[in-house]
Amino acid sequence: MTTKTHNTRTSTGRQLGLLLALAAAGSAIAFAAGCRGDRSDAPPRQFFPDMDDQPKLDPQSETAFFEDGRSQRLPVERTVAFGSRSELPGTVASDAWDGMITADRESLLKADETFAFGIVEGSTREEPVYVDYMPVPVTSDLIKRGEERFNIFCSACHGYDGEGGSSGTVGALWSYAPSNLLAEQYRDRGNQFGKDGYLYHVIRDGLWGPDGSNRMPAYGYSIDERDAWAIVAYIRTLQAASDVAFDELDPADQARLEGGTP
Ligand code: HEC
């Protein structure tokens, strides 16, 4: 009995010693494996460690550097942040850059109301008169861009061919039936719904029922002005294409369609 107890004690002591030794070895290994800032061949690789690890102030943090203790500066009094670039038009050497800066500011100012809102100059957004024709030249590049954007943003509800109803996977389950964009009222510029400006407005601002319920989401947040006009150009293309019967198509196009290319 006594021997047994003695033995147990000894082995507990040994286990403890072993554990301590292991813990010490473990931390030695962890220490040897490297600290932040040490050179190593292991990933993640830093190609410019001096840039990655430069001293910097994190946003919304405290610092003793500025008197008010904030890492971020407040805008100069009586000024408003303007544009995503800090340069002023006409102050950079490259024409391409200057064009981008100017376009950026014009789009923020929305000075061109026809381009920005699809309305006739002089009418207001509260009482809009939509333009019959888009203010952007229609090129095959614009239509291609519109096709791509339409397939991403609209086809889920209105179907790839624009027929609406239950032709889109989401549209089939949506609380309101998506409109058929090939219908006469969306082609005839003699009525409100058929004007380029109106189609543009629906894309950017969505559709709301009289009770304020949202019937179609607004896509202005992710489809910019140019892309919205591109989609309008593509809707016109879908409308024109739907007028041509399969038999009237070029044999090459018939083969492409039968091959399953949308
Ligand atoms: C989430 C589903 C959904 C998506 C995505 C969607 N729509 Fe709609 N759209 C609808 C529904 C539903 C209606 C009909 C609403 C109603 O009857 O009030 C509609 C109606 C329309 C109308 C007719 C407006 C009118 O006043 O008659 C146009 C034009 C239109 N959509 C264009 C588009 C375009 C272009 C896109 C892609 C940018 C798009 N829609 C994306 C659901 C959608």
Side-chain angles (χ1 to χ4, degrees):
M1 252 325 216
T2 350
T3 343
K4 220 178 172 189
T5 318
H6 176 78
N7 277 350
T8 319
R9 273 211 195 113
T10 327
S11 71
T12 315
R14 262 198 219 120
Q15 276 171 1
L16 197 70
L18 195 67
L19 268 176
L20 281 172
L22 271 176
S27 53
I29 290 168
F31 191 73
C35 293
R36 214 187 142 88
D38 281 359
R39 279 170 183 269
S40 159
D41 283 335
R45 301 194 197 285
Q46 279 183 311
F47 295 102
F48 302 106
D50 54 339
M51 287 181 82
D52 288 345
D53 302 331
Q54 64 186 304
K56 63 177 189 300
L57 296 174
D58 289 327
Q60 313 273 354
S61 63
E62 266 183 12
T63 175
F65 186 78
F66 292 113
E67 237 175 28
D68 63 3
R70 305 171 192 230
S71 66
Q72 283 171 302
R73 302 295 74 220
L74 291 169
V76 177
E77 217 177 309
R78 301 181 68 80
T79 63
V80 178
F82 186 72
S84 54
R85 293 168 236 270
S86 51
E87 299 90 347
L88 290 169
T91 60
V92 292
S94 144
D95 284 348
W97 269 94
D98 200 48
M100 276 161 70
I101 295 162
T102 309
D104 192 27
R105 296 206 162 210
E106 270 168 14
S107 126
L108 276 164
L109 281 171
K110 306 217 179 298
D112 184 345
E113 297 200 326
T114 302
F115 179 72
F117 306 117
I119 56 177
V120 170
E121 236 187 273
S123 84
T124 61
R125 293 191 78 195
E126 290 69 41
E127 281 174 48
V129 179
Y130 293 105
V131 285
D132 286 357
Y133 291 93
M134 64 178 73
V136 177
V138 179
T139 61
S140 63
D141 279 349
L142 189 81
I143 295 173
K144 275 190 202 129
R145 175 76 183 172
E147 174 181 20
E148 186 202 65
R149 297 290 106 180
F150 182 93
N151 289 346
I152 293 171
F153 288 103
C154 320
S155 66
C157 285
H158 292 277
Y160 284 100
D161 51 13
E163 272 181 5
S166 55
S167 62
T169 45
V170 174
L173 305 169
W174 201 246
S175 322
Y176 302 91
S179 315
N180 175 3
L181 306 180
L182 310 177
E184 190 48 37
Q185 61 166 337
Y186 302 120
R187 300 173 181 232
D188 176 11
R189 289 185 172 86
N191 82 82
Q192 163 102 334
F193 302 110
K195 295 180 191 297
D196 285 2
Y198 181 74
L199 300 177
Y200 171 91
H201 150 73
V202 172
I203 297 170
R204 299 264 302 163
D205 302 327
L207 284 170
W208 308 82
D211 56 350
S213 62
N214 178 244
R215 305 211 164 165
M216 180 188 134
Y219 286 96
Y221 72 94
S222 55
I223 302 179
D224 69 12
E225 288 92 344
R226 214 184 151 69
D227 281 349
W229 288 119
I231 292 175
V232 174
Y234 184 63
I235 293 174
R236 296 298 184 211
T237 311
L238 284 176
Q239 291 172 344
S242 72
D243 288 341
V244 184
F246 185 76
D247 308 339
E248 298 166 37
L249 287 175
D250 217 60
D253 289 335
Q254 287 183 0
R256 267 181 53 213
L257 279 175
E258 282 182 328
T261 319

